[in-house]
Amino acid sequence: MTRIVAGALGGRRLRVPAGRSTRPTSDRVREAMFSTLGDRVAGAAVLDLFAGSGALGIEALSRGAARVTFVEHDRQTVRVLRENLAVLGLHATVVAVDATRFVRELDTMRAAGPYDLVFCDPPYRMPSATLVALLLDLAGGSHLARDAMMVVERGRQGEGFVIAEDVLEVTDVRAYGDTVLYYLAVRRVTRDVI
């Protein structure tokens, strides 16, 4: 079990799928993340990739996010996520598909963009190149708001994380124990029309 840290649902418990395949973001890390995000959450359209039990997106809803799209491919985990939403009386879009496929096929997915805020908490074993390709695909499309921000969670002991600064700018990096949070701002390249 984990809990919602703050907001309208603060203190409520969330179920976590059994086994070790899902690694929920700890309460301490979530509290620090949302403290760093501050006013960005209220009224935001949020995309929660690799959603797991939904702890990040549900925390955002508790703190006033307008809507959240949860993306999770594991059937058992999706079932737990839907149960968490139902028990809390929350309405959100849950897309049961792999995050890479979701981003690649975003134009045909049930998406409630443009998104102001993206949470990306992939398995720590995901290769950095695969993760970066996913983030660049998402940033290069038209499904993010003009001043969108991404928060990416990685393991401290894992592979390095290098991003193309002309598309995504690392604005902050925070480490908490074995967890590292990268805050990325989407950079829009505008071209003059002749």
Side-chain angles (χ1 to χ4, degrees):
M1 294 285 261
T2 189
R3 69 180 178 87
I4 301 168
V5 177
L9 300 169
R12 299 283 300 270
R13 298 272 177 196
L14 298 174
R15 283 194 57 222
V16 176
R20 299 180 59 100
S21 62
T22 301
R23 171 198 36 79
T25 302
S26 74
D27 296 353
R28 176 176 162 249
V29 172
R30 256 184 298 120
E31 184 171 13
M33 175 193 299
F34 281 91
S35 177
T36 301
L37 290 171
D39 295 339
R40 281 188 164 273
V41 179
V46 177
L47 176 59
D48 189 354
L49 295 172
F50 306 95
S53 64
L56 292 175
I58 291 171
E59 186 78 39
L61 288 169
S62 179
R63 294 172 183 248
R67 61 189 183 276
V68 177
T69 300
F70 295 91
V71 179
E72 173 57 52
H73 79 283
D74 182 80
R75 287 183 184 173
Q76 177 189 353
T77 305
V78 167
R79 196 166 25 256
V80 170
L81 168 56
R82 290 185 195 278
E83 287 173 13
N84 282 334
L85 291 169
V87 165
L88 296 169
L90 298 173
H91 301 283
T93 301
V94 178
V95 183
V97 70
D98 176 75
T100 303
R101 179 177 166 206
F102 175 84
V103 169
R104 193 173 50 241
E105 300 176 9
L106 199 48
D107 288 329
T108 60
M109 292 285 174
R110 294 179 299 136
Y115 297 105
D116 304 296
L117 191 54
V118 177
F119 298 128
C120 186
D121 182 12
Y124 285 175
R125 69 184 178 279
M126 175 180 269
S128 183
T130 304
L131 175 59
V132 169
L134 180 147
L135 297 175
L136 292 177
D137 282 350
L138 182 57
S142 61
H143 299 282
L144 297 181
R146 184 177 196 88
D147 62 345
M149 172 161 280
M150 297 181 184
V151 184
V152 180
E153 183 173 336
R154 297 292 277 167
R156 186 190 290 264
Q157 303 302 320
E159 201 177 331
F161 182 68
V162 179
I163 199 74
E165 292 282 337
D166 59 329
V167 179
L168 292 168
E169 178 185 0
V170 179
T171 60
D172 200 355
V173 179
R174 308 260 176 127
Y176 307 92
D178 291 337
T179 301
V180 181
L181 298 179
Y182 296 85
Y183 296 82
L184 309 174
V186 178
R187 298 180 70 174
R188 298 288 184 199
V189 179
T190 56
R191 293 180 176 85
D192 293 331
V193 178
I194 300 174

